[in-house]
Amino acid sequence: MRNSKFIEKLKCDRNLSDDEFKVLLESDAFDEYLYRAADEKRRNIYGDEVYIRGLIEFTNYCHNNCYYCGIRRDNKKVERYRLTQEEILSCCEEGHRLGFRTFVLQGGKDFYYTDTLLCDIISEIRERFSDCAITLSVGEKSKESYRNFFNAGATRYLLRHETTNAEHYQRLHPYSMSLDNRKRCLYNLKEIGYQVGSGFMVGSPYQRTEFLIEDLRFLQELEPDMIGIGPYITHTDTPFASFENGSMLLTLRLISVLRLMFPYALIPSTTALGTIHPQGRELGLKAGANVIMPNLTPVDVRNLYSLYENKICTGEEAAQCRGCLEQRVKSAGYRIVTSIGNKIKESK
Ligand code: 5AD
Ligand code: FES
């Protein structure tokens, strides 16, 4: 009984005290109530709809050196690739044919793609696929660059904050990177008018429950439109090779907490979740997630975008993946819809 009262409070207030969050996050006693409450909330607002975003990983060159990431600069074992403008456009072509109406261009920090080149790519996609939205995920840039991309036609941006605890941030990233700059970027993106997605890894090295609560508090302040979380998954060719993977159960718990705190948010059931458990993405949906981001990257380079090991869907063509997902989403009790729309603005 005590359990359900706790969840009722989160449902009504969209908030708990730090102490209450700590109890909730550290215990599995609430999980069933949590999933049920989150699913109920999601169904009230979004019904059984699941939105799909076509992910195009267009470069795995990366100037950054984040300790957790498999495509970090110092990993000399990765074979690097870049997609040409034409290759990116043909990914969109195929995606459009398969019903995708949002394309997510994601890449490492790669200076080859100047603002001019990226803006060219963005405006070409805009022109050829005028019924589609373009999401960018290319890391920290100047406000001016963000404005250029926005003016070229990108309206959404994904940039996970990774952790809001400054010390923890520094343990995950080299000194050239800072939490302040990451936060500044997120606020710049919002100011320009992007729909912003942020988020963090669950179970990253040195993470503690207190830090996760700080992450929740930061998200309350930022009010992003999308919140992406996934378990940390270790990669042998990084300094964090000896750390363990994050927990699926904690990730699911956090998805439900996020759904109750941010009822209107777009919450993806991530590839990382599908990687640590064969049913991970289905469970993510049942815990309150409502977005899936299948891969449209050409199969011949897809396994090279190895942020972490054993990533799923690296061998399947876009069409196979799309078909597989249709089944998976259906089996979980939901339905893929292809509209670009969302209910974000109604919540404001
Ligand atoms: N495990 C899980 N997620 C990772 N990411 C990067 N490396 C890993 C890893 N080893 C996530 C980060 C990044 C997103 C693109 O992928 O959160 O923001
Ligand atoms: Fe990609 Fe199943 S979703 S192969």
Side-chain angles (χ1 to χ4, degrees), residues 201-247:
M201 287 176 290
V202 178
S204 59
Y206 310 108
Q207 188 174 64
R208 301 191 341 224
T209 310
E210 287 74 13
F211 301 166
L212 287 170
I213 297 166
E214 288 178 49
D215 288 324
L216 299 179
R217 298 286 174 227
F218 173 66
L219 292 170
Q220 284 178 321
E221 184 190 304
L222 180 71
E223 297 188 319
D225 302 288
M226 185 187 256
I227 304 171
I229 64 167
Y232 162 75
I233 302 176
T234 204
H235 192 297
T236 320
D237 303 316
T238 65
F240 285 165
S242 61
F243 283 89
E244 285 187 9
N245 289 347
S247 134

Side-chain angles (χ1 to χ4, degrees), residues 160-179:
R160 289 188 180 175
H161 64 270
E162 313 296 0
T163 175
T164 344
N165 180 281
E167 263 173 50
H168 187 216
Y169 192 91
Q170 232 47 71
R171 297 188 91 161
L172 301 180
H173 302 96
Y175 279 112
S176 54
M177 296 174 73
S178 76
L179 179 62

Side-chain angles (χ1 to χ4, degrees), residues 281 313 316 321 324-325 328:
R281 284 171 301 176
C313 305
E316 283 77 9
C321 230
C324 173
L325 267 184
R328 284 173 179 270

